[in-house]
Amino acid sequence: MENLLEVKNLQMHFHTGNSGIIHKTKNYVYAVDGVNFTIKPGETLGLVGESGCGKSTVARAVAQLYKPTNGEVIFDGKDLCQMNKNDLLKARKDMQMVFQDPYASLNPRMTTGNIISEPLRIYKQRGIISMSEAEIDERIEYLMERVGLSKFFKNRYPHEFSGGQRQRIGIARALALKPKLILADEPVSALDVSIQSQILNLFKEVQKEMGLTYLFIAHDLAVIKYISDRIVVMYLGKIMEISDYKDLYANPLHPYTKALLSAAPIPDPEIEEKRQRIILEGDVPSPTKQRKGCYFYDRCPNRFDRCKKEQPQLKQVGKNGIDHQIACWLYEK
């Protein structure tokens, strides 16, 4: 099966000003520093890691909200990084985002109906789609009902809804143009736990009905396990491990993945009491420096000399047809 999305050597470096004598030295934050992954049609790829590791930056660079410093973002066979504005606008019709904060991502001065219909009106104005006002209105009402909101609420404003309802509006807006790919940037992290499960189930339902593909970002390991087919583990702008979700949780290989999973609580007091936590040393290093060796070297409990000198690349270690890749010298044979 061909990939819907291919990300190759994606880099996102933010210039933070100059320093040194007469400001000759340029300073950067290396938010994303050489990321590679693929997503097949209909698949959900989970992207997990601690805060500040570059997850949201990856999503925004894929959507071209940030212009990548380097690399390729091949969506539906075309490199988005090489497109002009008109071609990029057409390509973005099939790629939509659901943002983390349901309070900040909706215009407080627009009604729900106008928020959901805004993508339709923009693409209609540019001549990319053709819809009458009656069809747009029908689409708004269908989407509201589909995400669990009454169509009679279309004239209400965002402040009249709860956080979970606002996120449903954001999902409806993302579905308006019938996209192929949804980039979901921590869409449940700002919601109550009881509401999270409802929104996750909604994501699964519309994926099955509409044949959607997801890049789903979260820092909650339970959320990622529930929603994902495959999982990417990131640390400090680098990918540490990629695996099928079952194999990752049953057989984590990278020392960072093991530490992450050991930090997640298990709802069984007997198992929780017996299992051993992996406590990492120190703090996450500053992303303002690039490193020669493994980016996890400073905190890794299994590090050795080669890790400091050479940077490991993702390598296939899965057996029996399982896609399991890891960037770690411990598995170099």
Side-chain angles (χ1 to χ4, degrees), residues 217-286:
I217 296 169
H219 60 261
D220 188 320
L221 291 164
V223 167
I224 283 290
K225 183 179 182 180
Y226 180 73
I227 197 77
S228 304
D229 298 309
R230 286 189 303 130
I231 298 173
V232 173
V233 179
M234 277 189 71
Y235 178 81
L236 207 63
K238 286 280 188 183
I239 291 178
M240 302 289 109
E241 191 165 356
I242 303 176
S243 176
D244 166 86
Y245 82 97
K246 289 182 180 178
D247 198 45
L248 186 82
Y249 282 81
N251 183 34
L253 298 178
H254 198 283
Y256 177 63
T257 308
K258 292 178 180 179
L260 267 186
L261 293 177
S262 80
I266 295 175
D268 186 321
E270 292 185 5
I271 297 177
E272 185 67 25
E273 186 179 357
K274 293 177 182 178
R275 76 189 187 117
Q276 187 175 358
R277 284 282 306 275
I278 300 173
I279 308 297
L280 296 177
E281 300 175 1
D283 298 319
V284 179
S286 171

Side-chain angles (χ1 to χ4, degrees), residues 10-287:
L10 183 67
Q11 296 179 335
M12 194 67 243
H13 302 164
F14 295 99
H15 183 218
T16 58
N18 298 342
S19 63
I21 300 174
I22 321 179
H23 303 293
K24 287 185 176 181
T25 304
K26 291 187 176 182
N27 299 320
Y28 291 93
V29 170
Y30 301 96
V32 178
D33 202 23
V35 163
N36 299 274
F37 62 84
T38 61
I39 311 180
K40 291 181 170 59
E43 182 182 33
T44 298
L45 182 71
L47 187 54
V48 69
E50 56 195 297
S51 296
C53 72
K55 304 185 300 293
S56 296
T57 305
V58 167
R60 290 169 182 263
V62 167
Q64 304 295 296
L65 297 180
Y66 296 151
K67 194 65 179 175
T69 306
N70 195 14
E72 299 174 72
V73 178
I74 301 172
F75 176 62
D76 216 4
K78 299 175 182 177
D79 188 357
L80 301 183
C81 300
Q82 303 301 321
M83 289 185 176
N84 58 42
K85 288 185 177 180
N86 289 332
D87 290 339
L88 185 57
L89 182 68
K90 293 176 182 176
R92 276 207 186 118
K93 174 181 173 293
D94 293 324
M95 177 192 294
Q96 297 290 305
M97 283 196 73
V98 177
F99 296 93
Q100 177 178 359
D101 189 348
Y103 297 90
S105 61
L106 304 180
N107 189 333
R109 297 186 178 185
M110 294 175 67
T111 64
T112 301
N114 287 334
I115 289 170
I116 296 172
S117 67
E118 188 177 25
L120 299 170
R121 298 187 191 282
I122 290 172
Y123 278 85
K124 179 184 176 182
Q125 187 180 11
R126 299 294 179 92
I128 298 173
I129 64 172
S130 177
M131 294 181 76
S132 67
E133 285 301 315
E135 289 173 328
I136 290 176
D137 201 51
E138 184 181 345
R139 181 76 177 154
I140 294 168
E141 293 183 357
Y142 164 75
L143 288 169
M144 290 190 69
E145 296 282 356
R146 183 60 200 85
V147 299
L149 298 171
S150 171
K151 64 183 179 182
F152 300 109
F153 293 167
K154 66 182 179 181
N155 292 320
R156 291 190 178 185
Y157 289 86
H159 72 269
E160 299 179 76
F161 295 95
S162 67
Q165 289 174 322
R166 291 185 200 191
Q167 197 59 291
R168 291 175 190 271
I169 296 169
I171 294 170
R173 177 178 59 186
L175 297 174
L177 289 165
K178 300 180 180 179
K180 297 177 181 178
L181 175 67
I182 297 284
L183 306 172
D185 183 10
E186 301 210 36
V188 298
S189 63
L191 306 177
D192 292 340
V193 175
S194 59
I195 305 301
Q196 285 185 9
S197 60
Q198 296 176 20
I199 299 299
L200 290 173
N201 287 332
L202 176 61
F203 270 107
K204 282 199 163 191
E205 289 166 9
V206 295
Q207 181 180 36
K208 189 175 180 180
E209 289 177 19
M210 303 178 186
L212 295 170
T213 304
Y214 292 147
L215 174 60
F216 200 99
I217 296 169
H219 60 261
D220 188 320
L221 291 164
V223 167
I224 283 290
K225 183 179 182 180
Y226 180 73
I227 197 77
S228 304
D229 298 309
R230 286 189 303 130
I231 298 173
V232 173
V233 179
M234 277 189 71
Y235 178 81
L236 207 63
K238 286 280 188 183
I239 291 178
M240 302 289 109
E241 191 165 356
I242 303 176
S243 176
D244 166 86
Y245 82 97
K246 289 182 180 178
D247 198 45
L248 186 82
Y249 282 81
N251 183 34
L253 298 178
H254 198 283
Y256 177 63
T257 308
K258 292 178 180 179
L260 267 186
L261 293 177
S262 80
I266 295 175
D268 186 321
E270 292 185 5
I271 297 177
E272 185 67 25
E273 186 179 357
K274 293 177 182 178
R275 76 189 187 117
Q276 187 175 358
R277 284 282 306 275
I278 300 173
I279 308 297
L280 296 177
E281 300 175 1
D283 298 319
V284 179
S286 171

Side-chain angles (χ1 to χ4, degrees), residues 288-304:
T288 57
K289 295 180 180 179
Q290 286 183 306
R291 291 160 175 74
K292 290 183 179 179
C294 177
Y295 277 40
F296 189 56
Y297 175 83
D298 294 334
R299 304 179 74 195
C300 183
N302 306 113
R303 61 180 180 256
F304 52 96

